Amino acid sequence: MQASLLVAQATVEVIVGVPRGEYARTVKALAESSVFHPEPLEGIVAHEVRRLRNELEAVAERLRQAATVAGVAAGGEAVVRIKSSSDAGLSELLRELSTLASSVSELVEKLAQLQNPESELSKKLRILQYYAFIDVDLERLTRSRHVRAKVYRIPLGFAEEFIAELSRVEGVVVAYTDGIEPGYMTIVVVYPARLETEVGKVALRHRAEPLEIPEDWPRIPARAVERARRELEELPRRIGEYRPQILRALTAVEAAVKLLRLLEATKFTRTAAFIHGYVDPSQLDRLEEQLQDIGVKGFVILVREESHRHGKPGHGEEEHEAKRTPSFYRVTKLLAPFADLLSMSGHPRPGEVVPVVLMAITLPVIYGLMFPDLGHGLVLLLAGYYLFYKRMGNVNLGRLVMYFGIAAMVTGFLAGEFFGPHPVVAGWLSEGIWHGHPPLASPLHEFVTKPAEEAAEAAVPLLFNAIYLSLLIGALVMTVSSLISIVNGVLLGDREVLVASIGKTLIFGSILLALTLGAAAGAGAAVLERAAGILADAGMSLVPETTLGMVVRLLFSIGLLTVLVAPIVFGHGGLGEKIINGLMEAFDMLLMAIGNTASFMRIMGLMLAHSGLMFGFTILAMVAGPVLGAITYIFGNILTIGLEALVAYAHSLRLHLYEMFSKFYLDEGRPYQPLQLPATVKIEAA
């Protein structure tokens, strides 16, 4: 079966049964086939396997930290040995990796503490650097049986009172200087051992801190500082010696975590092992050939194909919902950015329409209408290619930004904007090509070259056109979305979804009909006025006066009634529950018909916001003079690109994920994720 771009394909559920002695070779075959999606048979994972996963992930995290310090990345070659035991030999691999991780982690932790300026060790050593001239064991001085000495450091503002109080204690000798540590007074206190407690209390009252040396470090400040310098030089080298082992270990632990998926999906008996999972139906032969090529003896592949034709779960269907087979669909490289965005809304169910192609058309178009500027689009195109695609290596993000840039360039050309509407910069486009009348001109552009009264009069029809275009796109997108919902109802065999979708299509189709035919047949000077007249006639009049208004009301009413009836006739639960669901669906649909269509007015709003910002900077540039005006205009373009590019993206994405997808996209599917090991991993079956 060839994966489709338009409809999510279902996988088949399989159980691979093998003798216990063949388990290692079976794991090798399934892992290297790259077509097997392992999954626990009843969603239950053995306690021992969960423990193994937790420990492997902990080791992996420690190795990744070590790799960061050592300056290496995953990609080394590794050999993973699999056994036919109940843990597939992964416990032995875990012990090997843990030993390496412990050895390296100790060095990494020491280096991190020395390099982190906020760590306690680093703070103490930073203070000790000022006292590196002291070549005396300070701890021995504080343990003398008769006379003791301590070095205190105290902020300059508290030093005078501290010294005065110490001087009043009989038998205490104080020496001090403020030339060692900036902002602190260094005080050496010599006192009889019997005054230990009293001296400590005085120091505590005045917030004086004894000079501290970290535990397990030489007690002589000069030697402690020297050791810190030596370790800062030696530790990176010592960690670097582990680079080959870290590389291999990172690859091995990545492979082990993936292999655990097979172990989690395995049910052992005394004589056999059964591995449960899912496979693309077209790859079943390949899976069998892989098992034969590896030399697995006595294997059996049990295939269970379940119907995926079901919609929303009703009473007693939750369990079946949880067991829905994983699905997959084909994604080309050019469409991959839109597939990433679709995943934000969930994965399609088996048999459900995949809206990636539709999204690849509507998302750039709507974005371009919100951000219409030929120059700004060119900046996005170049940024997407050179910054994200080439330099950062984020291919999908780079392509998405380039698509948006191209869309903005096209709509910007039609709007007559090139880095804003300034006549000096964009005059070649708005006047030279469009002769002052770009098809998508912003109402604000009239105020750039015309007197206020004349510009206001010319701006009104342009504003009406922008409102009309936004509503027309909204009605069109909502109608297409409802039509796709009908297709989903047919593909999934869900009669409730099918009938309700027909009702939605009639409702949004009636609005689209009023906006299209009403714009041509209605009364009024502007298209918006004519279309609004038909909508008002259909929705506000007791009896519509026009034939088109009557048709629009009839379609809308039939659609609303259909949405009301669908849950009552085909829904789940008791009659009362069905009626309540029907009323709620109908009321919700009535609100959506108005709110979702009107929500597309944000297209006009964002377009006006973009042109409004550039209009403001255009006026400032005109009145500021040549030099200051040029600086102002450049700054305005940079600000507008940075701000509006992100805002337009957020709003265009919102129109898709909420207004559009809520009409047909059921999601709730599970992605087909076959086990795939790193290419540099070699599996050996014991």
Side-chain angles (χ1 to χ4, degrees), residues 570-650:
F570 302 108
H572 304 281
L575 180 60
E577 183 180 352
K578 291 180 180 180
I579 294 174
I580 292 174
N581 288 339
L583 291 172
M584 291 179 63
E585 288 289 340
F587 181 70
D588 186 48
M589 190 64 234
L590 183 61
L591 294 179
M592 286 194 297
I594 301 171
N596 288 172
T597 306
S599 185
F600 280 80
M601 290 278 286
R602 68 186 69 232
I603 295 176
M604 177 206 68
L606 267 294
M607 181 269 288
L608 289 178
H610 176 267
S611 60
L613 278 173
M614 289 314 304
F615 170 73
F617 285 111
T618 298
I619 299 302
L620 288 175
M622 286 180 171
V623 300
V627 177
L628 187 57
I631 295 173
T632 301
Y633 202 65
I634 292 172
F635 171 77
N637 273 276
I638 294 173
L639 178 65
T640 303
I641 293 173
L643 180 64
E644 288 295 314
L646 291 175
V647 173
Y649 167 70

Side-chain angles (χ1 to χ4, degrees), residues 222-490:
R223 296 182 185 178
V225 172
E226 178 59 30
R227 175 179 163 180
R229 291 171 181 166
R230 188 172 61 252
E231 291 197 354
L232 277 171
E233 295 175 356
E234 292 181 357
L235 283 174
R237 178 184 58 78
R238 292 174 61 188
I239 295 173
E241 293 173 355
Y242 283 94
R243 284 179 182 173
Q245 296 100 304
I246 294 174
L247 259 173
R248 289 193 296 271
L250 276 173
T251 306
V253 77
E254 181 184 354
V257 170
K258 291 178 179 293
L259 289 172
L260 267 178
R261 292 179 60 195
L262 285 170
L263 192 58
E264 291 170 342
T266 302
K267 178 71 174 178
F268 290 102
T269 66
R270 293 181 63 184
T271 59
F274 299 92
I275 309 172
H276 174 262
Y278 298 90
V279 178
D280 175 356
S282 65
Q283 300 296 325
L284 278 171
D285 292 340
R286 177 181 172 182
L287 179 64
E288 185 174 353
E289 291 173 2
Q290 183 73 13
L291 288 166
Q292 292 172 346
D293 292 343
I294 297 296
V296 180
K297 300 176 182 178
F299 71 86
V300 175
I301 300 178
L302 304 176
V303 180
R304 182 170 65 181
E305 294 190 56
E306 288 188 354
S307 173
H308 59 268
R309 292 174 168 270
H310 59 285
K312 299 178 182 178
H315 296 293
E317 293 188 34
E318 290 81 358
E319 182 180 353
H320 188 56
E321 183 85 4
K323 292 182 179 179
R324 184 180 289 123
T325 59
S327 60
F328 62 97
Y329 58 92
R330 183 166 58 91
V331 178
T332 64
K333 291 181 179 179
L334 295 179
L335 293 177
F338 302 101
D340 289 345
L341 294 177
L342 179 64
S343 65
M344 297 169 59
S345 188
H347 192 78
R349 301 179 183 186
E352 183 178 1
V353 173
V354 180
V356 170
V357 176
L358 177 64
M359 196 178 189
I361 298 171
T362 56
L363 185 62
V365 169
I366 291 175
Y367 182 90
L369 290 171
M370 291 180 176
F371 192 64
D373 192 293
L374 177 59
H376 295 174
L378 180 62
V379 172
L380 288 184
L381 177 64
L382 297 176
Y385 182 75
Y386 288 105
L387 179 61
F388 298 109
Y389 190 94
K390 286 292 186 180
R391 187 170 181 179
M392 295 175 59
N394 195 330
V395 176
N396 286 347
L397 179 59
R399 284 181 176 146
L400 184 65
V401 174
M402 285 191 285
Y403 294 154
F404 286 159
I406 293 171
M409 290 175 66
V410 173
T411 54
F413 177 78
L414 296 175
E417 287 199 35
F418 181 73
F419 292 107
H422 198 295
V424 175
V425 181
W428 66 272
L429 177 59
S430 59
E431 298 295 334
I433 294 179
W434 297 115
H435 306 293
H437 299 287
L440 294 179
S442 168
L444 295 174
H445 292 176
E446 300 294 327
F447 292 89
V448 176
T449 57
K450 298 178 181 178
E453 291 185 4
E454 183 181 347
E457 184 177 350
V460 172
L462 294 179
L463 179 61
F464 284 171
N465 288 342
I467 296 174
Y468 174 76
L469 179 61
S470 299
L471 293 175
L472 181 63
I473 292 174
L476 178 61
V477 169
M478 292 296 95
T479 303
V480 171
S481 299
S482 301
L483 286 170
I484 294 176
S485 186
I486 293 178
V487 177
N488 270 341
V490 174

Side-chain angles (χ1 to χ4, degrees), residues 56-66:
L56 272 172
E57 290 177 348
V59 169
E61 181 60 30
R62 291 162 65 190
L63 287 172
R64 280 191 287 268
Q65 292 176 357

